[in-house]
Amino acid sequence: MSASDAASPGQPPPFEGLDTISEPVRLARYAVDDSLPTSAVLATGISDVERAMADASAAGLAVIPHGGRTMQCLGMPPQRYDTALDLSRLNRVVDYEPEDFTITVQAGMTLSTLQQQLAINGQLLPLDHPHFEQATLGGLAAVGRGGLRRNSFGGPRDWLIGMRMVQADGTAIKAGGKVVKNVSGYDLAKLFSGSLGTLGIIVELTFKLRPQPASDQIIAIGAPTLDDAQRAARAAANAAPFLNGCIALSADAAAEARALGARLLQDEPTIVLRANGLESAATEVLSHALSAIREVGVDRPERRTSEIVETWQAIADLELQTPNEHVRLRLGLPPAKLVQAQVLLDGHLNNPAQWIIAADSGLLFVSTPRVDADTIARLRRELGPLRGRLTIESAPPELKSSVDIWGPAGAGARLMHNIKAQFDPQTALNPGRFVDGI
Amino acid sequence: MSIAPPDFESIWQTADRPDAGELGLCVHCGFCLNACPTYHDLGVETGSPRGRIALMRGLDDGRLEWSPRVQQHFDQCLQCRACETACPSKVPYGRLMEATRAEAFAQDRWPRRQRIIWRVIMRGLFPYPRRMRLAGYGLKLYQTSGLQSLVRRSGLLKRLAPKLAEIDALSPNADRPFYSNAEAARVSPKRTPRAHASLVTGCMMPLAYPDTHRATVNVFARNGVAVDAPSAQVCCGALHAHGGDVEASRDLARANIDAFTPLGSELPDAVLINAAGCGSHLKEYGHLLRNDEEYADRAAAFASRVRDVHEWLVEIGFELPMGRIERRVTYQDSCHLSHAQGIRKAPREVLTSIPGLELAEMRTPDRCCGSAGIYSVVQSEISQRVLAEKMSDVLGTGADQICTANPGCMLQLDAGIARFDDDQRMIPRSIHAIELLDESYRLGDQAQTR
Amino acid sequence: MKTPTALVLELIEAIGEDAVVWHDEDLLVYEYDGTIDRGNPDVIALPADTDDVSALIRIANKHGASVTPRGAGTGLSGGALAAKGGVIIGMNRMRRILSVDAENKTALVQPGVVNLDLGLEAERHGLAYAPDPSSQRACTIGGNIAENAGGPHTLAWGTTTNHVLAVELVTADGEVQWIGHDTRDEPGYDLVGCVVGSEGTVGIVTQALVRLVPRPSAVRTMLAVYDSVRDASNAVSAVVASGIVPAALEMIDKMTIAAVEPVLNTGFPLDAEAVLLVEVDGPESQVEAEGARVESILRRFEPREVRSATDHEEREHLWAGRKGAIGALGQIMPNYYLLDGVVPRTKLPDVLDAVYEIAERYRLPVANMFHAGDGNLHPCLLFDEREPGATARVLDAGGEIMRVCVDAGGAITGEHGVGLEKRDYLPWIFSEADMDAMKSLRAAFGPTENFNPCKIFPAGHGCGEAGHQHHAQQQIAKFGPKAFV
């Protein structure tokens, strides 16, 4: 069914009775790359989402779900874009059982609100995400990306135990449940997590939780060069496998992080280590890591900080920091290959800046003022043997017109297209923004 | 499994049949699979303990015909009983397999040739010490005349009679003087003995590994035990029982009970045995003769005194040896010591007591070497593959010598060294821990007198 | 003499006579797995590599024969049974550990590798493979992936799905593809997350890249003995609520002790109502302090005794008692029906009470040994299938127990899978729309008609009496179909 059919007389217009926006001025905030929708729906309950999707499906409208929009930069420009589905008002706690260490929340709740609620009971969700005060849990799950502590805590997929979604045709479904271990039926929560809103709208999520550690410690050590910092961080990660974070920052990244509130020493290449657990244990882990760092010849004094959340969040925010329309790259690869990968990127990129290297997790973020399609292609080729995967997380639309920000989808592409066809046969959801044109 | 209809005629014909209750203990959890060398090798469920029990049950409740295929699955079992160690339900698998084989033997389910050979060798030769000795001299002649090396070099046997060539490769080295039971009495403790033991010398050990017996008597004498070796003893019958020839095995058991515990005599403190396969069978004499009115009690009493040499040595406490043996030794748990008798620590305790000796453990030391009595001859293909895997574990340790606790294992492992130790790094003959202990005692004494 | 069918001949031609099992007497031993269902295959094919698997699937498809993958056959939900006959593809001969990358903490394995063998290999590199199902001495990684296997030590580390990074998958159409990535950075849908736990219904895994984890430098295993199951389960709730995440937190009740103790001599007191096995691990100082805290919590619930294993051997001994528990039940009764319900952890004491009440009402002995820290119960109903009506009684009681778990906000299976056994109970927790969405996922992986049929979803046509459809339907009639959804 096409949009013109839906507009035919006798049919009610789509989204009737829902809270909608159609003034261009107010729609500007829903811009994705250079595209603007013709309408936006502000959902306040799951039934709104069901209605909105049913209507959109009947009218053949293309829908892009919105949460906190911290990562709307991620993805190819939409092929079609009619309606923004704003989920940020779906922000209630549905069910919280502190003693079971599980919580069910609506998709529009922000990560920081969730953490505040959990903190009351001495609990937390150990996931990192840039701009956690805006980032919604639905968005976080839809992006599905592991953060700076991925080595210890994995990504959203590893903490999600249940999910409610609204399918492209408006049917509400659920997956998983409220128990921490569950193999009843297929794990659709894993399928939806990281699907960038292309299969359905995530409306409710159930997470398992962790207790807040008795002690959470961060120390920072300066290093003469980024290379030194990186080698030292790798050595620390090897020597202290129970670290909960092990990052090397370039001098400009350290400076920017400080500007954002991180308590680091100076604007110099810096190693940031994090460990938690019982106080003695965290101290023990850090001292193992420190001696490994000293052993590779980095001997500047360390600084301990008590501003754990501020410091860590400032670094996480940097992942998406794009000064002057920079292009921000994310690279994931086996941690032992980080040093080689960094050299490779350094050689190919034009004025690379703001390096963040999670040495234990095999993650690297770097930005560059300009990059062309050929360079990206060459990098991807040369990263192949290192088993590296390069994603452009943020770039101006003109670059996206010549480069696939995701890179080749690999052998799974066939299955991914099949899945998309099953779940969203009309390609109404986020059309063209995901991998391999999905 | 379904249960049999009431009018169903049981396939079993003898009282030695597998016990239905014991078959019922198996809950087919599969824990035994990875412990089973033949499952490992064949990769089929019919080659596993769980599968074989299912076949026994199939026969038991009439769902299955006892075809030659089924028989072949039973024949492929090594009876190493590693599955018993792995089994959380403690299914007495070894006993079930022996019972099944007893039925197979009684029902003539073997191929004709195998039956004839069995009768000639197992019934005509093994039970008679004199005939064994005669055969031993024949082997000695074959080896000392140079005929064996000629045959091996020519490769003629391999072409003409490959089966015989396999047997030849497994034949013991008969270069040492055969052991005579009278020898035992010539060695006695220096002081008044604290205990008295009777040594089971067996059918093959006196010919193939006479020095193990000598060392056993020396070691126990040194530790204050008077050892004798009753002259009327015969083969223990383990091979017969494993093969299913229960009647022959019962005859031998009765003869041994008469030899070791004549009516009216006192029981020895221990019936000592240095061969693991024999030891586990001797401990089963009570079960074997449970329905024999005349012998049941005597068999149980006899069995209660049976001790493996390692086991008893550790039990009574032994003098720490002083002589250094600078050697890297790896210990292969004989199945019938570890899985059947549960003795794993004692041999290691003996070995590690020897100064200079380094015990280098291999991967899965308690996995069968593929010898399994006559298995290495009857199922030679599987046996050789199991051996190949074992030897790769052995060679992986960099050991100089293999130590093990059963003559069959020694023969098999010696053949393994000959075939797989390409660099000829290892001492070509495996050894019993008791011999190493004896040697260490002797070296210690020499050092002192010097 | 039986003659081979055209299907058998073609399979033999593809992978050799040695690798195809088709005689009736040999097929008999492939009718079971670790539990009570049965299914009779027409032929077993034992591939040596990925190409074999692909070829086998294509041949089976050509002949319209159904395909059922099988690992070691230790499963507890009938997942490896040939519900509609056809070809069983037995993966147990593909059992090589292809490589271990100690620095990046990964291992590349074939699916037939036994879980414990991978664990031992990881140990040689100072690492561990975290999921450790009780059947780990025999079960295979391929089977673990299919069922998303757990185990005592997944409380802290997560289940199989948290430890599989990439797999080589042969889909139902015979196509081969690698999915996933060394560090989960493959762009696109989480296909690996879809495959793990799909119970072998979307394809056959022929290689897997798994995550290894660092070995803790210290471990402390504690045994707490209680005179009432309530006290023990309250102690569990208290430990969980305290914020400590033990490496393992297991409960074993009196009936289980009675089965285990005589054969394994683990040192569990025979007259205790329940024992808890609690393990903490990590750096020395952490283990010391956490161990002390856990111990003090355990002591609040009036245990008869709390003690710690003093050495490796004693620890292994305690664990042997837990991991051998299910098999040891053969000592009490010849058959068991093992359930796998999972409930929110605070509901554990009430649900346990209900389990005992139901068992008593049905006059069935019940043994409980389970992952208390995860809220994952394993009530084991003991019976003798030769007693007329016993099986039906057991299935009814089992249904009631599952119902109690569902009503408590839980699920019907925590780690064993739905398989044949629980498929008719799936509607208790999922609506038609939920299940339709799951089926869409399955359809994306290829033709579904003949690939591992009759598993997970309520029985379709041709699945016959495999499973316990009849009883399940009675149960559903009794309780209504959609109480939870």
Side-chain angles (χ1 to χ4, degrees), chain C residues 274-286:
Chain C
V275 299
L276 294 181
L277 215 51
V278 193
E279 192 160 282
V280 290
D281 65 15
E284 306 279 340
S285 52
Q286 170 130 347

Side-chain angles (χ1 to χ4, degrees), chain A residues 15 48-60 166-171:
Chain A
F15 314 131
D48 288 355
V49 181
E50 290 174 56
R51 268 282 315 284
M53 288 314 298
D55 285 5
S57 164
V166 173
Q167 293 187 280
D169 64 358
T171 315

Side-chain angles (χ1 to χ4, degrees), chain C residues 83-352:
Chain C
K84 273 165 101 172
V87 186
I88 280 187
I89 300 189
M91 302 303 291
N92 55 302
R93 286 186 181 176
M94 289 174 65
R95 49 143 212 242
R96 276 186 307 136
I97 296 173
L98 300 167
S99 64
V100 172
D101 179 346
E103 194 173 6
N104 293 310
K105 301 197 189 70
T106 57
L108 182 64
V109 301
Q110 291 187 321
V113 167
V114 167
N115 177 295
L116 185 65
D117 290 345
L118 174 57
L120 293 173
E121 186 61 31
E123 196 176 333
R124 284 182 199 107
H125 294 86
L127 299 167
Y129 179 65
D132 63 336
S134 294
S135 56
Q136 71 182 136
R137 283 199 297 202
C139 65
T140 62
I141 297 299
N144 291 174
I145 291 173
E147 304 299 325
N148 186 14
H153 288 87
T154 51
L155 177 56
W157 284 109
T159 53
T160 302
T161 190
N162 305 109
H163 299 273
V164 178
L165 296 167
V167 297
E168 184 186 62
L169 183 78
V170 185
T171 37
D173 47 14
E175 291 287 318
V176 181
Q177 54 258 297
W178 263 104
I179 54 176
H181 178 249
D182 307 50
T183 53
R184 293 201 201 287
D185 286 293
E186 189 81 352
Y189 300 129
D190 184 0
L191 298 174
V192 176
C194 296
V195 169
V196 179
S198 62
E199 305 194 25
T201 58
V202 301
I204 298 183
V205 168
T206 45
Q207 283 186 63
L209 184 74
V210 299
R211 227 180 117 206
L212 303 176
V213 297
R215 287 190 86 73
S217 50
V219 183
R220 181 169 165 198
T221 309
M222 281 166 275
L223 176 74
V225 182
Y226 291 91
D227 290 320
S228 100
V229 172
R230 260 254 161 207
D231 286 343
S233 44
N234 283 331
V236 168
S237 299
V239 171
V240 171
S242 77
I244 294 174
V245 185
L249 178 46
E250 300 282 306
M251 192 191 293
I252 298 157
D253 78 351
K254 187 170 194 166
M255 181 72 78
T256 314
I257 296 172
V260 168
E261 191 50 32
V263 287
L264 298 172
N265 304 314
T266 41
F268 302 156
L270 280 165
D271 59 341
E273 287 298 324
V275 299
L276 294 181
L277 215 51
V278 193
E279 192 160 282
V280 290
D281 65 15
E284 306 279 340
S285 52
Q286 170 130 347
V287 168
E288 200 175 304
E290 267 190 356
R293 261 190 74 198
V294 168
E295 190 173 332
S296 79
I297 297 170
L298 295 174
R299 285 196 188 283
R300 287 216 309 266
F301 298 88
E302 300 180 4
R304 188 192 302 179
E305 181 195 358
V306 179
R307 68 182 158 89
S308 295
T310 48
D311 55 24
H312 177 74
E313 202 175 330
E314 199 181 341
R315 176 175 175 254
E316 291 287 302
H317 222 63
L318 290 175
W319 278 116
R322 167 61 188 92
K323 293 191 173 177
I326 289 170
L329 294 171
Q331 297 281 315
I332 299 181
M333 293 281 237
N335 304 91
Y336 59 69
Y337 183 40
L338 175 62
L339 293 147
D340 180 36
V342 53
V343 297
R345 292 170 280 201
T346 45
K347 302 287 190 341
L348 213 56
D350 292 343
V351 170
L352 267 178

Side-chain angles (χ1 to χ4, degrees), chain C residues 335-386:
Chain C
N335 304 91
Y336 59 69
Y337 183 40
L338 175 62
L339 293 147
D340 180 36
V342 53
V343 297
R345 292 170 280 201
T346 45
K347 302 287 190 341
L348 213 56
D350 292 343
V351 170
L352 267 178
D353 282 351
V355 167
Y356 285 111
E357 186 272 316
I358 292 166
E360 200 180 318
R361 191 150 38 79
Y362 281 91
R363 291 170 289 113
L364 290 165
V366 63
N368 277 292
M369 79 300 288
F370 58 94
H371 314 306
D374 287 325
N376 187 189
L377 291 103
H378 291 319
C380 216
L381 298 167
L382 306 179
F383 68 108
D384 185 339
E385 67 185 354
R386 290 168 296 192

Side-chain angles (χ1 to χ4, degrees), chain B residues 1 3 24-25 27-31 33-34 39-40 42-46 50-51 54-55 58 63-64 67 69-70 73 86 88-90 345 363 389, chain C residues 23 25-26 28-35 38 46 72-74 92-93 95 114 117 124 134-135 137-138 263 313 323-324 327-328 330-331 385-386:
Chain B
M1 314 249 150
I3 48 164
L25 283 176
V27 295
H28 45 90
C29 65
F31 278 30
L33 295 180
N34 201 36
Y39 176 74
H40 207 69
L42 299 165
V44 285
E45 188 79 18
T46 42
R50 177 172 69 170
L55 292 174
R63 294 177 65 201
L64 195 61
S67 66
R69 269 195 90 74
V70 171
H73 297 319
S89 285
K90 288 287 168 274
K345 276 193 196 162
R363 261 176 223 234
E389 198 153 327
Chain C
H23 292 91
E25 51 268 69
D26 294 14
L28 179 85
V29 304
Y30 284 92
E31 67 172 3
Y32 52 73
D33 62 359
T35 182
R38 295 285 181 276
L46 303 160
T74 58
N92 55 302
R93 286 186 181 176
R95 49 143 212 242
V114 167
D117 290 345
R124 284 182 199 107
S134 294
S135 56
R137 283 199 297 202
V263 287
E313 202 175 330
K323 293 191 173 177
Q331 297 281 315
E385 67 185 354
R386 290 168 296 192

